[in-house]
Amino acid sequence: MSSNGDENGYPSHPRAKVNRYRNRAVYDYDFIHHIVNTASVLHVAFPPSSEEHADDPFPALLPMIGCMGRYDSPADDNDKSLDIYLHGYVSSRIMRLAVNAPQNEDGGSHGLPLTVSATLVDGIVLSLSPNGHSYNYRSAILHGFATPVTDVEEKVWAMRLVTNSVVSERWEHTRTPPTETELKTTQILRVKVVSASGKERNGQPHEDKVDLANKAVTESVWTGVIPVWEAYGAPVKAEEEAKSTVPPYLLRVLKERNVRNEEKAIKAIGASRFIAKEFQFVRPVSSVG
């Protein structure tokens, strides 16, 4: 993986540079794209309107649904920088600010400056001392400029992209295309990423040598990793649903995600001897499949 940014990753920039635990830094396109496209929620920070909130020093922050892709070359997702597509209601504050964002001198759209973050937790790391506790995690922070998508074809493409990022193949199994009203009330922001960085922690507790040498401590304190993963339960039919049978594609998609998420959490520990017997009881009782 790229540690400083190169042709396979985002260029190094002071605003995105990882300073603490630099060995955990990742700037690779594929790593960062995967984190954003896997996270269920993205947190998006932006400057509040200077006119409406002139005396407010705090940036606004919203949980949003979004994912990364490139409309002009969707097949090359991991070969170059991708855009972030954010989905929201047309009259929300972030959408209104993006519509009224300043323009460059050449007339091209500059956009609303955003910071987007995504985090996946793979485990809780329990150490001999409270100070040594940590998480196994993967995270990404991206910076870019957002502008509304005005082309109808790109907008529908982005709506499909975002929908299928929530549940794979869902767009193809719903009533489509969107109605005129749905297109008017839904706004899609395209964020051109200008800098980004990722960070990852794997493994087991990192203990202090003094604690490891203290037999009284090592024999009285349990240490290890609790795997953490997002698990999807069995689908519950809507009360007004006429179709009673859960479609096979949905069961397959959810089962594949559960297996993939669990495997990643276990792999992040790096020691299979902890897994088999001790963690069986925490499997979700309502897991699909």
Side-chain angles (χ1 to χ4, degrees), residues 1-283:
M1 290 188 177
S2 169
S3 59
N4 296 308
D6 55 27
E7 68 277 3
N8 296 315
Y10 286 93
S12 179
H13 191 283
R15 79 165 71 88
K17 185 178 180 181
V18 175
N19 293 309
R20 182 167 170 77
Y21 294 117
R22 296 182 182 180
N23 60 308
R24 298 179 183 174
V26 185
Y27 299 91
D28 286 10
Y29 290 140
D30 55 355
F31 179 90
I32 292 173
H33 299 164
H34 176 75
I35 301 305
V36 175
N37 289 340
T38 303
S40 296
V41 177
L42 304 179
H43 289 93
V44 181
F46 57 96
S49 169
S50 57
E51 296 180 0
E52 296 179 9
H53 306 276
D55 299 325
D56 190 348
F58 299 103
L61 180 67
L62 291 176
M64 299 187 72
I65 299 173
C67 62
M68 301 190 75
R70 185 178 288 276
Y71 178 66
D72 56 7
S73 57
D76 299 328
D77 281 3
N78 289 327
D79 295 334
K80 55 186 175 181
S81 174
L82 300 182
D83 300 327
I84 306 173
Y85 286 90
L86 299 173
H87 178 285
Y89 192 68
V90 66
S91 62
S92 64
R93 179 167 56 151
I94 188 173
M95 300 301 178
R96 289 186 284 107
L97 289 174
V99 169
N100 297 315
Q103 303 289 312
N104 284 335
E105 294 181 359
D106 61 2
S109 181
H110 183 64
L112 178 69
L114 302 180
T115 298
V116 180
S117 70
T119 302
L120 304 173
V121 176
D122 295 317
I124 302 173
V125 183
L126 305 180
S127 179
L128 289 171
S129 72
N131 193 57
H133 284 49
S134 186
Y135 284 117
N136 280 341
Y137 66 89
R138 291 164 286 157
S139 65
I141 296 178
L142 306 91
H143 309 91
F145 295 95
T147 54
V149 173
T150 56
D151 178 77
V152 175
E153 289 188 4
E154 182 180 2
K155 187 173 185 178
V156 173
W157 175 88
M159 291 171 70
R160 177 181 180 273
L161 184 72
V162 172
T163 299
N164 285 342
S165 75
V166 177
V167 175
S168 301
E169 305 176 33
R170 185 59 183 169
W171 181 270
E172 291 75 18
H173 292 85
T174 56
R175 188 271 297 151
T176 53
T179 65
E180 184 176 346
T181 299
E182 289 171 338
L183 286 174
K184 286 183 178 179
T185 57
T186 300
Q187 184 64 277
I188 299 290
L189 294 183
R190 183 199 314 108
V191 183
K192 291 291 184 182
V193 179
V194 297
S195 61
S197 62
K199 201 171 182 182
E200 180 178 29
R201 187 207 189 275
N202 291 321
Q204 301 174 45
H206 301 157
E207 305 291 5
D208 186 278
K209 293 181 179 180
V210 175
D211 285 332
L212 288 175
N214 189 330
K215 190 175 181 179
V217 171
T218 58
E219 290 184 351
S220 63
V221 180
W222 188 93
T223 65
V225 180
I226 303 171
V228 175
W229 65 89
E230 188 175 53
Y232 295 83
V236 178
K237 185 176 76 71
E239 293 181 358
E240 298 180 356
E241 173 62 63
K243 185 178 177 65
S244 60
T245 304
V246 179
Y249 88 90
L250 186 56
L251 293 174
R252 172 178 52 79
V253 166
L254 298 181
K255 183 175 181 179
E256 289 174 353
R257 283 199 177 186
N258 281 349
V259 171
R260 183 168 60 249
N261 291 350
E262 180 180 2
E263 287 179 345
K264 176 57 183 176
I266 299 301
K267 184 179 179 181
I269 300 173
S272 59
R273 66 179 180 274
F274 289 146
I275 299 169
K277 296 181 179 179
E278 297 178 17
F279 288 160
Q280 285 181 353
F281 74 95
V282 301
R283 294 176 182 274

